[in-house]
Amino acid sequence: MTKARIDARFAALKAEGRAAFVPYVMAGDPDAATALAILKGLPAAGADLIEVGFPFSDPMAEGPPIQRAAQRALAKGMTLKGTLEAIAAFRAEDQATPIILMGYLNPLVTWGFEAFAAEAAEAGVDGVIVVDCPPEEADPLADALEAHGMALIFLTTPTTDDKRLPTVIRRAAGFVYYVSVAGVTGVKEADAQAVAPNVERIRKASGLPVAVGFGIKTPERASAIAQVADAVVVGSALVDEVAEAVDLNEDVTRRVLSKVESLAKAVRFARRVPV
Amino acid sequence: MNAPARPNDYTAYPDAKGRFGDYGGQYVPETLMPLVHDLSAAWAAAKVDPAFQAELKGYLTHYVGRPSPLYFASRLTEHFGGAKIYLKREELNHTGSHKINNCMGQILLAMRMGKTRIIAETGAGQHGVATATVCARFGLPCVVYMGAVDVERQKPNVFRMNLLGAEVRPVTSGSATLKDAMNEALRDWVTNVHDTYYLIGTAAGMHPYPEMVRDFQSVIGQEARAQIQEAEGRLPDAVVACVGGGSNAIGIFHPFLNDEGVKLYGVEAAGEGMDTERHAAAINGGRPGVLHGNMTYLLQDREGQITEAHSISAGLDYPGIGPEHSWLHDVGRATYLTATDAESLDAFMLLSKLEGILPAIESAHALARIGDIARDVGKGGVVVLNLSGRGDKDVATVAAHLGRQI
């Protein structure tokens, strides 16, 4: 399965004529058991693909919400290995929803790319996003993931111009991620008008679906992006729900999944124009 | 990593991909990649442009106060009874350390690139002060990121930066120290891609910074090489410098790299001791990994999470080290020793009393090993130590450790 699961999911969504909703959750946030309960509840709440963050001490491209989520997870002892264990537990119940692992390079360097790739594939990971591993540095990791049927998902941004785009998508597989704003996660707001031509440009050049993330917080915004993109990623707004539920002593799982439901519904009924 | 072969020409690095052997590289988010490529191109052009070099030399001479003297420390030499000890007096530069060499070079480059806003990170505040200084001189707005913990323990430097017109932003994320200040500066850069220049203070981070900062700091070694030949008619037997990120060390080492007879010693901060967790010695107590855009030796746990550095010296209090040092260590061209907080305090007081020079507590780490090295080289030999900064800023820290009120 693995990368094939991503391709199958996007093909099915294309047939339905709608964009995917992709929630991002941090492994181990606020603790391992609750994070796993959230993960397991995501498909029923409307997730078409899932991004699972693994925590890193120095997440240089994240805004405060995901920085704090990583710190909560690390404080509870979450590791990359623990993240894969959670994914394996999810996979035992759901073989259809693609899982994309997202984080920073150093934990992978520490593990060793080949050994990590073998275990990640075994756990049921389909793709990996590494924020601080640009295409120029990506070959060793991409080779290891490919050998185990997984995709290294590449990021494109507002600074990725036409001259640079071929470098970025050279080894792209699964889908291409478009970072909708120049900035860190969860701060600036994405503008569907500005995003649309970039999505089109990247889709055409790569022949792959384009997922848009960074700066999508509300159902309204998610709906607007869903009309122009193949997938809508929401992360910071969800990890903020974790933080608030903990602060207010509420049921974390229920609060996060209810937010996911409202966002997923917005994406599902956005009815983007077929491409 | 395999032990790499020693190259024929040490100065031929980094390669086109910004690598010193396995180390270095450009591990940055995609948003920044076009910017670091632009910076590489701008630096490559400026480096060989005589007009740029002449302008820089002018400011280094008349504003910074270069060349800095190479001073024969006769009483220190006598004290140890070994090789003659010379001090490269970088502490006499404007702003009191070698940091200004790099800041002057980079601000001229930033203006050449048409950038209108400068950001920087700082630990103790020395690089922040040097950056604020050149920004004041050239009338550019300056934002300095500084860990909230450091803001609290370095109040005089925060005020100095404010006097120079810079805005100091305390960073509360992570461990609220230098590495977090660097994370926050990178977050600013990724957000303000069009007008902002990130003025990194050490020979670390993503390519081209390790190469560019080294080149700006190499003026130290070029001068020292000429000055020691003038004074002694020969090259030194050893060159010694403290290493945090490693910009003063690589600056004095680099012009000697191909002189294989000149031994190179870097001294890392051992904090409370290498047998404790509380140190800042990336090479002696860490292993290779990726942080802040480069592959290099890092302090980290077994999961690859970066751990906190500890040193009495805020300027050495960083969990990484410049990638060229990692490579020089692996190929065996330079030797990396350590000095504890206590040894460095002793060296601080020794130099103050014997030579009438208060060294920066950073530089005192190098001084803590100079006796061993001078004795090892022996009488008739010559060693050069980079006195990278002055110690006035450390007087309160030293007093606190002596249990004295000032």
Side-chain angles (χ1 to χ4, degrees), chain B residues 43-79:
Chain B
W43 169 234
K47 191 175 173 174
V48 296
D49 179 353
F52 179 84
Q53 292 297 342
E55 188 182 15
L56 175 58
K57 189 164 196 307
Y59 285 112
L60 289 179
T61 305
H62 302 292
Y63 188 77
V64 173
R66 303 209 70 87
S68 67
L70 185 72
Y71 163 73
F72 172 48
S74 61
R75 296 194 68 209
L76 193 66
T77 298
E78 201 177 313
H79 177 82

Side-chain angles (χ1 to χ4, degrees), chain A residues 162-253:
Chain A
D162 284 335
K163 188 167 140 260
R164 179 160 172 78
L165 188 55
T167 306
V168 180
I169 61 176
R170 185 174 59 90
R171 297 193 68 164
F175 63 92
V176 178
Y177 195 121
Y178 180 64
V179 174
S180 62
V181 295
V184 294
T185 48
V187 178
K188 291 182 184 170
E189 271 201 293
D191 172 4
Q193 294 269 310
V195 163
N198 281 303
V199 168
E200 195 49 49
R201 181 168 71 94
I202 295 158
R203 195 189 276 140
K204 195 179 259 178
S206 66
L208 291 170
V210 177
V212 174
F214 281 47
I216 304 167
K217 296 175 192 176
T218 61
E220 295 71 31
R221 189 71 53 172
S223 171
I225 298 290
Q227 290 174 41
V228 299
D230 301 302
V232 178
V233 185
V234 176
S236 297
L238 294 178
V239 303
D240 269 349
E241 294 293 321
V242 174
E244 276 196 42
V246 169
D247 282 352
L248 300 171
N249 213 10
E250 282 183 22
D251 182 331
V252 179
T253 308

Side-chain angles (χ1 to χ4, degrees), chain A residues 1-249:
Chain A
M1 285 293 261
T2 60
K3 182 184 93 59
R5 197 155 28 212
I6 303 174
D7 297 340
R9 180 51 53 101
F10 275 108
L13 290 165
K14 190 169 185 179
E16 278 182 54
R18 70 175 180 88
F21 176 64
V22 187
Y24 167 101
V25 290
M26 174 66 76
D29 176 31
D31 58 71
T34 309
L36 180 57
I38 293 170
L39 185 60
K40 286 183 172 177
L42 287 173
D48 298 303
L49 292 82
I50 300 169
E51 282 185 16
V52 178
F54 57 98
F56 182 51
S57 52
D58 293 79
M60 66 162 141
E62 312 299 343
I66 293 179
Q67 288 173 39
R68 288 192 291 256
Q71 284 188 322
R72 289 193 296 268
L74 287 172
K76 288 289 170 73
M78 184 46 64
T79 61
L80 182 52
K81 197 167 189 69
T83 304
L84 294 187
E85 284 164 13
I87 291 168
F90 170 89
R91 205 38 101 211
E93 297 175 7
D94 183 318
Q95 287 84 48
T97 309
I99 295 258
I100 314 299
L101 206 54
M102 184 165 185
Y104 289 78
L105 192 58
N106 201 47
L108 306 185
V109 170
T110 299
W111 196 326
F113 293 159
E114 172 52 39
F116 158 75
E119 288 214 32
E122 179 74 28
V125 172
D126 303 291
V128 180
I129 300 175
V130 183
V131 179
D132 56 348
C133 188
E136 283 85 343
E137 305 287 0
D139 281 342
L141 179 59
D143 290 345
L145 294 177
E146 255 176 43
H148 291 275
M150 290 176 288
L152 182 58
I153 308 293
F154 287 91
L155 301 168
T156 53
T157 73
T159 60
T160 313
D161 58 16
D162 284 335
K163 188 167 140 260
R164 179 160 172 78
L165 188 55
T167 306
V168 180
I169 61 176
R170 185 174 59 90
R171 297 193 68 164
F175 63 92
V176 178
Y177 195 121
Y178 180 64
V179 174
S180 62
V181 295
V184 294
T185 48
V187 178
K188 291 182 184 170
E189 271 201 293
D191 172 4
Q193 294 269 310
V195 163
N198 281 303
V199 168
E200 195 49 49
R201 181 168 71 94
I202 295 158
R203 195 189 276 140
K204 195 179 259 178
S206 66
L208 291 170
V210 177
V212 174
F214 281 47
I216 304 167
K217 296 175 192 176
T218 61
E220 295 71 31
R221 189 71 53 172
S223 171
I225 298 290
Q227 290 174 41
V228 299
D230 301 302
V232 178
V233 185
V234 176
S236 297
L238 294 178
V239 303
D240 269 349
E241 294 293 321
V242 174
E244 276 196 42
V246 169
D247 282 352
L248 300 171
N249 213 10

